[in-house]
Amino acid sequence: MSKVPGSCGFPILSDRSLDFYRNPVKFVDKNIQEHKSRVFCARFLNTPTVFIGCNDTIQKLLTEGSEHTELGYKQFMGEIFGDNILFSDGDIAREFRASLSELFCHESLSSYQTTISRIVQDRVLQLGCLCEVPLYSFMKSLSTEICLSLFLGMDFRDAEDTAERIVNLTTTHWHGIISVPVSIKLPLAGESSFCKALEAKDHLLDIIQKKKGENSSHFPDRIQRCPPSGHESFVNNHLLLFTSALVPKALSSILTSLLLYVGDQQTDSQRRLVEDEAELEAMLLEVQRLFPPFLGGRRVARQDFNLNGYLIPKGHALVYMSYHGHRDPSIFPSPDDFDPKRWSTCNSEDRGRLFCFGAGPRGCVGQRLVWNILKTVVGELLKNYSLTVIQGQDLTQKWLPVSRPKAEVKVKFRKKTGS
C-alpha cells in the first residue's frame, strides 16, 4: 500500500479550510497538479483529510470502503436534522433504508406523479406568453412547491400564507446547515444562524406534527405506515429532511444548469429533448457530470484500511470530490467538454461513475423520484416554450453551498404557437 501524497501538517497552523472555502475547485486542482495525484492529503476542518478526485477511488470508497468508514456528518448536522437516513450509520442506517424503500418503489412513484405534473403544469401556465425569468429563483420556487406539496400534503393554491411561512422557515433552517454549528445568543448581537435554525426546526416539527393528522396525502400517509422502531421520531425527522431546502436546492441546481445549456441551442434541438427521452436522459447525465449540485461528500475512517492501493489511517477524514471525479480523464475523454453523446458511445456503461446521488449501499434512496421530477419539469417547459438565454450576462459558476451561477441569470421563455 502507498502513503497518500501531501502533508496534514500541525493542528490549527496548517489548516487549509479557508483556502478550500475560498475556491474549492481551484484548491483541489492546485493540489492535484502539485502532487501529480488525484488523491492527496491536507489538514481540513483541523482534521487530517484525504481529498479524492480520482473516479475509480471514489467508487471504491462508496462501495467497498463503506464497511470501513462512517459518514462523519452527524457532528455538524445532527442537531439540525436529528436522526435520519442521511446522517446515520451502521444498523440504524440500514433499518432506515429498508423502511423508506417502499416510499420510492414503482407503485409509490406512480402515485406521486399526479401531484408533480399538476404543479408543473400550473406553473408553466402562469408564465404567460412572453417573459423574462430569473432562472435559478424560478426553479427553486417550483422545486420547493413540489417538495412541500408532495412530502407534506401542502396545497399552495389554498394555503398561500401557510406555504410562505413554511418556505421562510426552511430557508432559515438551511442557513443553519451552512453556518458554524454553535448555538449562542449574545447580548445586543442577536442570535447566531445556527441558533435561529434550531428554532426554525422546532417550528417545522410542530407544523409537520399538525399536517400528519389533517390530511391523507400519499407520502405523509405512507411514511406513517413505515415500521421502524422509534416510529414517531423516524417519521418526523424524515419529513423534516424531505421538506427541508436540501432537496429543492439540488433540483434547482440541476434544472438551472441544464436549461442554461438548452437555452443556447436551436429550437429543433430543444424539440428533440421533448420527443426523444434517450436524448433528454443523456443531457441530464451530462449536466450532472459537469455541474453536480453538491461538490462531493465526506467519510471518516473507522479503522486503518486499504483504499485502491492507498493506506488510510484510522480517524482520517475522506472528502470525495464529485466535481473532479466526474472530470477524471481516465474515465471521461475530453472531460471538460459538454458532450451528451458520450452517454451513447464511449461512456455508455458509466452511469455508475456519476456520484451526484452517491453510490453503493448509501446511494440516494429517492433518486428515481428526483429523476421523474427533473424530466417532468424539462418536458413540460420545452413542450410549451422555446427558451433563450439573454445575452451579456455573467454566467460564472459558484460551487458552495450548491452549484449555481453567481449572478441571477435571466432567460426568456417564448410561448409556442398552439400551446
Side-chain angles (χ1 to χ4, degrees):
M1 288 187 288
S2 303
K3 181 181 177 183
V4 177
S7 172
C8 296
F10 298 102
I12 301 178
L13 295 175
S14 301
D15 190 76
R16 294 291 176 261
S17 300
L18 187 57
D19 293 339
F20 178 87
Y21 285 118
R22 279 175 177 158
N23 192 323
V25 170
K26 184 177 179 181
F27 172 83
V28 175
D29 283 343
K30 179 182 177 181
N31 277 276
I32 287 175
Q33 293 174 10
E34 180 180 328
H35 299 297
K36 296 181 173 54
S37 170
R38 299 187 76 83
V39 181
F40 63 90
C41 65
R43 184 167 291 274
F44 177 62
L45 298 176
N46 205 29
T47 301
T49 300
V50 177
F51 287 86
I52 307 171
C54 166
N55 191 286
D56 193 48
T57 306
I58 294 175
Q59 189 177 58
K60 285 182 166 55
L61 171 66
L62 299 181
T63 53
E64 302 162 17
S66 62
E67 63 184 89
H68 305 294
T69 59
E70 56 191 35
L71 293 183
Y73 293 130
K74 197 165 186 175
Q75 68 184 100
F76 302 112
M77 303 182 189
E79 198 172 357
I80 291 285
F81 277 110
D83 289 333
N84 63 53
I85 190 172
L86 201 58
F87 307 122
S88 300
D89 290 293
D91 291 340
I92 293 176
R94 284 187 283 273
E95 181 183 10
F96 284 170
R97 188 177 190 86
S99 299
L100 292 170
S101 60
E102 282 189 26
L103 298 171
F104 300 102
C105 67
H106 177 75
E107 178 189 353
S108 296
L109 293 177
S110 298
S111 73
Y112 308 148
Q113 189 58 40
T114 300
T115 299
I116 297 168
S117 297
R118 189 263 302 166
I119 293 169
V120 175
Q121 288 166 6
D122 285 351
R123 282 297 194 99
V124 168
L125 186 64
Q126 292 168 14
L127 282 173
C129 294
L130 177 64
C131 58
E132 294 181 2
V133 175
L135 187 57
Y136 180 77
S137 292
F138 176 78
M139 288 303 160
K140 185 171 67 172
S141 175
L142 172 58
S143 300
T144 299
E145 182 175 351
I146 290 172
C147 290
L148 289 177
S149 301
L150 197 61
F151 299 132
L152 206 54
M154 290 289 303
D155 191 330
F156 279 46
R157 298 168 300 182
D158 302 327
E160 189 172 332
D161 291 343
T162 303
E164 183 179 359
R165 177 172 176 248
I166 295 176
V167 170
N168 290 336
L169 286 170
T170 59
T171 300
T172 303
H173 187 241
W174 167 259
H175 288 160
I177 298 171
I178 60 176
S179 71
V180 177
V182 178
S183 179
I184 55 174
K185 294 184 180 180
L186 299 176
L188 304 180
E191 299 173 283
S192 68
S193 295
F194 190 75
C195 190
K196 290 178 181 178
L198 293 179
E199 292 176 356
K201 171 191 172 184
D202 290 339
H203 288 306
L204 287 168
L205 286 173
D206 287 341
I207 292 169
I208 286 168
Q209 190 66 32
K210 181 181 178 182
K211 286 292 179 184
K212 286 191 308 183
E214 71 179 28
N215 68 68
S216 58
S217 180
H218 294 297
F219 194 92
D221 182 55
R222 286 173 186 264
I223 196 171
Q224 290 181 79
R225 290 188 268 122
C226 289
S229 58
H231 179 74
E232 189 72 13
S233 63
F234 168 87
V235 171
N236 291 346
N237 289 345
H238 282 91
L239 285 176
L240 179 67
L241 172 64
F242 297 142
T243 56
S244 75
L246 196 68
V247 182
K249 283 185 176 291
L251 287 167
S252 53
S253 170
I254 295 172
L255 287 166
T256 298
S257 296
L258 184 143
L259 290 171
L260 285 178
Y261 179 80
V262 169
D264 285 333
Q265 306 302 299
Q266 299 297 319
T267 303
D268 286 348
S269 298
Q270 295 184 22
R271 187 186 67 247
R272 286 200 303 272
L273 291 181
V274 180
E275 298 173 349
D276 188 342
E277 186 172 356
E279 189 161 342
L280 175 56
E281 287 221 6
M283 184 78 76
L284 282 167
L285 288 169
E286 189 67 351
V287 163
Q288 290 173 53
R289 185 184 74 82
L290 282 176
F291 305 104
F294 302 107
L295 270 178
R298 187 175 187 267
R299 298 289 188 269
V300 177
R302 290 200 303 259
Q303 60 200 53
D304 293 356
F305 75 102
N306 178 351
L307 177 62
N308 203 25
Y310 292 104
L311 172 62
I312 307 298
K314 177 181 178 180
H316 272 45
L318 302 102
V319 171
Y320 66 90
M321 299 293 292
S322 300
Y323 173 95
H324 290 86
H326 292 175
R327 296 175 187 240
D328 186 338
S330 69
I331 303 296
F332 299 104
S334 303
D336 294 324
D337 293 348
F338 192 98
D339 179 18
K341 292 181 180 178
R342 72 172 71 245
W343 296 103
S344 59
T345 55
C346 56
N347 293 114
S348 60
E349 304 298 322
D350 289 327
R351 290 182 64 143
R353 297 281 186 174
L354 297 183
F355 310 115
C356 285
F357 302 103
R362 298 308 304 266
C364 175
V365 70
Q367 181 174 347
R368 287 186 295 173
L369 174 60
V370 170
W371 204 254
N372 287 352
I373 293 172
L374 295 172
K375 286 184 174 180
T376 302
V377 172
V378 175
E380 194 66 30
L381 278 171
L382 296 184
K383 182 175 71 176
N384 290 278
Y385 292 89
S386 59
L387 172 65
T388 306
V389 178
I390 298 171
Q391 297 300 305
Q393 300 183 89
D394 180 8
L395 300 180
T396 306
Q397 198 82 356
K398 60 179 274 188
W399 300 103
L400 293 175
V402 294
S403 167
R404 54 162 292 191
K406 285 183 178 179
E408 185 63 274
V409 177
K410 291 186 177 181
V411 298
K412 184 174 290 185
F413 288 107
R414 187 183 298 273
K415 195 168 181 62
K416 294 178 178 178
T417 55
S419 297

